[in-house]
């Protein structure tokens, strides 16, 4: 018996688990547009998974003080962010009445409940225990969000990176609390920008990342406004009014604060 008889040969379909992936779209209505809605959310979740993977890698590279690999990883993250922002265009081809045709079938389901999105926010520095508590006790989402909030955020890894490059950037005494703007950190950042070498380029890429996240929030709220107007969200919030409160909160406040002094 040859080896090929014992183990099914790897194929495109089996390697990519396409039976599972392509079997995972289960519309709840017969409406034409529901498939697009499902596919786009699933694609988002796949990109969120990849972003989390890249961000974990980025944190390790920063903690090693490795500028070339940190910058390369940041470029990949930024390119993915551009793709996820651009994808909103596809969903905006769906009119309010097309969405309304199946919206009631979503019950209380909403992007609001995306565990990976909350984990991304936590990796980027969001620290609010209540966020994890929205997920059932013992669930993977709850554990992953809580774990991300308990370990150093991307900004903490960046401070470690600055120290590795000889800058005075003390570690935050408690990484489980949100990053607060700090005059001390800002003074260090001004020195970094004046030196204008590798660390300054990392700073600029982090600002791009911050702006990219804000851009996604802005495009998402505009899509929501044009698709459901002022109707409340399926996730139980006030909808666009709630989403507007999340706009323009910076991920890295110190990197924005120094800009008027540069
Ligand atoms: C027709 C399309 C969409 C509409 C009408 C819509 C609507 C909403 C609304 C109203 C909220 C506020 C929470 C609530 O439901 O009460 C929300 C939150 C959210 N949505 Fe969407 N959404 C759409 C598409 C998407 C897509 C494609 C994604 C990609 C994953 C997404 C991800 C999110 C996330 C992550 C939140 C939480 C934001 C936060 O709390 O900061 N949404 N969405």
């Amino acid at each position: 018996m040859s080896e090929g008889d014992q183990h099914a040969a790897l194929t495109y379909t089996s390697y990519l688990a396409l039976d599972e992936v392509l079997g995972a779209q289960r519309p709840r209505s017969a409406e034409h547009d529901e498939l697009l809605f499902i596919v786009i959310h699933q694609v988002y979740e796949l990109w969120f998974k990849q972003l989390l993977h890249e961000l974990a890698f980025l944190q390790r590279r920063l903690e090693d003080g490795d500028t070339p690999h940190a910058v390369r990883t940041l470029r990949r993250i930024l390119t993915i962010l551009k793709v996820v922002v651009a994808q909103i265009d596809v969903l905006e081809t769906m009119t309010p009445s097309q969405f309304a045709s199946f919206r009631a079938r979503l019950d209380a389901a909403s992007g609001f409940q995306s565990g990976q999105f909350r984990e991304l926010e936590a990796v980027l520095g969001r620290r609010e225990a209540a966020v994890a508590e929205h997920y059932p006790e013992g669930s993977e989402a709850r554990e992953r969000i809580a774990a991300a909030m308990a370990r150093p955020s991307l900004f903490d890894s960046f401070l470690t990176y600055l120290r590795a490059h000889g800058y005075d950037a003390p570690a935050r005494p408690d990484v489980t609390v949100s990053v607060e703007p700090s005059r001390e950190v800002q003074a260090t950042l001004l020195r970094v920008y004046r030196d204008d070498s590798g660390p300054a380029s990392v700073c600029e890429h982090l600002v791009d990342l911050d702006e990219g996240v804000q851009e996604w929030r802005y495009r998402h709220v505009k899509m929501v406004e044009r698709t459901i107007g002022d109707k409340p969200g399926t996730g139980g919030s006030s909808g666009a009014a709630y989403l507007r409160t999340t706009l323009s909160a910076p991920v890295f406040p110190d990197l924005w604060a120094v800009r008027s002094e540069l």
Side-chain angles (χ1 to χ4, degrees):
M1 196 187 274
S2 75
E3 207 172 312
D5 294 330
Q6 288 167 20
H7 307 285
L10 190 67
T11 64
Y12 178 80
T13 306
S14 63
Y15 177 63
L16 297 175
L18 288 184
D19 289 342
E20 284 156 70
V21 174
L22 300 177
Q25 294 71 45
R26 293 187 280 274
R28 289 167 58 89
S29 74
E31 298 298 334
H32 173 80
D33 295 282
E34 191 180 355
L35 183 63
L36 173 68
F37 189 76
I38 293 174
V39 167
I40 205 138
H41 280 85
Q42 289 181 338
V43 170
Y44 263 106
E45 289 294 335
L46 287 173
W47 281 129
F48 290 164
K49 183 172 185 170
Q50 187 66 30
L51 284 171
L52 287 164
H53 187 62
E54 299 294 347
L55 283 164
F57 187 74
L58 172 63
Q59 286 193 268
R60 290 199 298 274
R61 297 294 73 81
L62 287 172
E63 287 159 16
D64 293 344
D66 178 350
T67 305
H69 289 96
V71 168
R72 210 180 291 170
T73 309
L74 271 161
R75 284 210 192 107
R76 181 177 292 174
I77 291 170
L78 294 171
T79 310
I80 296 172
L81 259 179
K82 291 255 174 260
V83 169
V84 303
V85 171
Q87 270 175 201
I88 289 184
D89 290 347
V90 183
L91 206 45
E92 283 184 343
T93 64
M94 191 171 68
T95 65
S97 52
Q98 285 170 335
F99 182 49
S101 71
F102 62 88
R103 188 177 189 224
R105 310 300 287 269
L106 303 179
D107 295 334
S110 162
F112 201 49
Q113 296 155 346
S114 167
Q116 290 201 106
F117 186 79
R118 297 300 175 217
E119 190 182 342
L120 273 171
E121 288 184 317
V123 168
L124 295 177
R126 184 171 183 186
R127 296 291 185 263
E128 272 171 66
V131 169
E133 285 156 16
H134 279 115
Y135 297 84
E137 224 166 303
S139 64
E140 197 189 334
R142 183 167 173 148
E143 276 164 25
R144 289 183 66 112
I145 298 163
M149 286 193 186
R151 61 175 187 259
S153 69
L154 179 55
F155 197 69
D156 294 302
S157 302
F158 171 62
L159 294 178
T160 306
Y161 165 83
L162 291 181
R163 286 197 298 282
H165 284 264
Y167 291 101
D168 179 22
R172 295 192 307 131
D174 183 1
V175 299
T176 68
V177 298
S178 300
V179 173
E180 291 296 333
S182 148
R183 282 303 305 165
E184 206 183 342
V185 171
Q186 287 163 29
T188 299
L189 291 175
L190 287 171
R191 280 194 291 281
V192 170
Y193 272 109
R194 267 180 224 120
D195 292 346
D196 200 20
S197 61
S201 134
V202 169
C203 288
E204 283 305 88
H205 282 84
L206 289 175
V207 174
D208 286 337
L209 170 58
D210 198 332
E211 204 174 326
V213 173
Q214 292 181 50
E215 201 182 339
W216 181 82
R217 290 190 189 278
Y218 173 79
R219 288 293 316 272
H220 174 262
V221 74
K222 286 292 148 195
M223 172 183 65
V224 171
E225 284 170 357
R226 68 184 278 167
T227 311
I228 61 167
D230 284 332
K231 291 180 199 165
T234 47
S237 82
S238 56
Y242 154 71
L243 291 167
R244 281 192 292 267
T245 68
T246 68
L247 292 179
S248 69
V251 181
F252 310 118
D254 290 317
L255 279 165
W256 292 96
V258 294
R259 313 201 82 73
S260 40
E261 295 174 55
L262 289 171

